[in-house]
Amino acid sequence: MTPFAVELTFHGDLPFFLKSKTSKIKRRLSERTSVKDVIEACGVPHTEVDLILIGGERADFGAILTQDVVIDAYPPSAPCSTLFPEDRLQVSRIERFVADGHLGKLVRDLRLLGIDVAYDPTAEDRQLVETAAAENRALLTRDRRLLMQRAVRHGYYLRSQEPLEQTIEVLRRFSLSRKLEPYSRCLRCNALLQAAEKSEIIEQLEPLTKIYYEKFRRCPDCGQVYWSGSHFAKLQKRVELIRSQLKGEN
Ligand SMILES: [Zn+2]
């Protein structure tokens, strides 16, 4: 077929993903190509794109390009909420996640806030993608090739390498600031904690803990016992720090 030209404009923070860091890219194509493939060839995973306009018309990822066109790609956060607000490619609120193996500290933060995050540091890429698809979880990663896999429906590329900033990014991207239930989930295995009678768990406690504490929670899956001991002050500080960064947000 006759070669044709595609001109892409990446809006909002999407130029973050481009080598050139400028927002416009021109491509020459010589075969029918999906808009998803053209966008991802520029380095932008499809999970980061909330709205695509081809010649001003809204399009899905599977739209096939065959002739000269102008394409606009917008992220979920872009200030373009008046364009097709009901017909976006991403879901604004997701409450279940799976994190890739390098994100232990982020996972701990999110679980501390009560957010459901599946995490296995030994999981291979294939397993992460399968878990995300089978359990309808959003995949959190810093590996953009992973997010480009077609089977990944929801996902997020963490911009920062710093756990606190990553935590704030996830809470903002998925509108979770008002859904937090700190201390409700096991930090080790992600299960929801249950109240436990002191008599049930007394054999697991150190002598001083037996004396000074009366309220306990236990993980029904891994057996970990939680109480408001000295370690708890550290966790409280972390929760307060995260909350202070989110003040006034939804
Ligand atoms: Zn547990």
Side-chain angles (χ1 to χ4, degrees):
M1 68 187 291
T2 328
F4 56 97
V6 176
E7 188 184 314
L8 300 108
T9 303
F10 291 93
H11 296 265
D13 71 347
L14 291 181
F16 168 87
F17 292 100
L18 309 178
K19 274 203 196 97
S20 59
K21 306 291 174 196
T22 57
S23 60
K24 279 192 197 297
I25 289 189
K26 284 184 183 168
R27 293 260 150 153
R28 275 194 89 66
L29 299 175
S30 52
E31 56 187 36
R32 293 161 56 87
T33 311
S34 75
V35 71
K36 172 182 184 289
D37 288 347
V38 173
I39 287 174
E40 292 191 331
C42 299
V44 184
H46 70 279
T47 51
E48 301 294 329
V49 177
D50 197 24
L51 176 67
I52 300 169
L53 302 180
I54 300 179
E57 298 284 331
R58 191 203 160 280
D60 289 320
F61 289 118
I64 299 294
L65 309 174
T66 57
Q67 57 187 1
D68 291 0
V69 276
V70 176
I71 297 171
D72 289 276
Y74 297 85
S77 58
C80 63
S81 53
T82 53
L83 294 171
F84 307 96
E86 302 299 326
D87 207 4
R88 295 305 181 95
L89 297 164
Q90 305 300 331
V91 176
S92 66
R93 174 170 287 170
I94 288 184
E95 295 174 18
R96 289 158 60 81
F97 301 90
V98 55
D100 97 9
H102 308 287
L103 300 171
K105 287 180 177 162
L106 167 67
V107 171
R108 197 180 154 84
D109 268 357
L110 294 175
R111 286 179 179 169
L112 175 63
L113 298 168
I115 295 166
D116 181 349
V117 191
Y119 181 64
D120 172 0
T122 66
E124 292 177 7
D125 290 358
R126 183 179 45 79
Q127 293 167 290
L128 293 168
V129 172
E130 278 173 11
T131 302
E135 301 178 16
N136 201 26
R137 293 174 180 273
L139 176 56
L140 303 175
T141 181
R142 279 185 51 81
D143 179 349
R144 69 174 87 181
R145 286 169 311 115
L146 250 185
L147 292 175
M148 289 181 185
Q149 295 195 26
R150 207 167 290 271
V152 177
R153 176 69 189 85
H154 309 295
Y156 178 75
Y157 180 88
L158 297 148
R159 274 64 164 170
S160 176
Q161 303 199 44
E162 201 279 309
L164 177 65
E165 288 173 5
Q166 292 179 338
T167 301
I168 302 298
E169 282 182 34
V170 173
L171 298 177
R172 283 191 178 136
R173 164 64 185 86
F174 296 101
S175 316
L176 293 168
S177 314
R178 295 197 178 196
K179 302 285 284 186
L180 308 182
E181 287 179 58
Y183 324 117
S184 60
R185 201 170 280 279
C186 181
L187 301 180
R188 283 192 354 188
C189 79
N190 196 43
L192 282 172
L193 301 178
Q194 295 173 347
E197 290 297 326
K198 192 173 183 180
S199 59
E200 294 171 33
I201 44 110
I202 196 153
E203 284 175 12
Q204 291 172 251
L205 304 178
E206 299 290 329
L208 286 177
T209 310
K210 282 182 194 173
I211 297 170
Y212 288 115
Y213 296 95
E214 294 301 326
K215 281 195 168 170
F216 298 89
R217 292 214 255 184
R218 182 172 50 184
C219 173
D221 285 4
C222 76
Q224 177 79 18
V225 175
Y226 295 83
W227 66 93
S228 51
S230 55
H231 60 284
F232 185 69
K234 248 184 159 175
L235 299 180
Q236 266 182 316
K237 253 193 163 162
R238 187 76 179 168
V239 171
E240 286 318 310
L241 180 62
I242 294 166
R243 283 210 154 125
S244 69
Q245 310 256 323
L246 292 167
K247 259 193 183 133
E249 294 184 27
N250 288 321

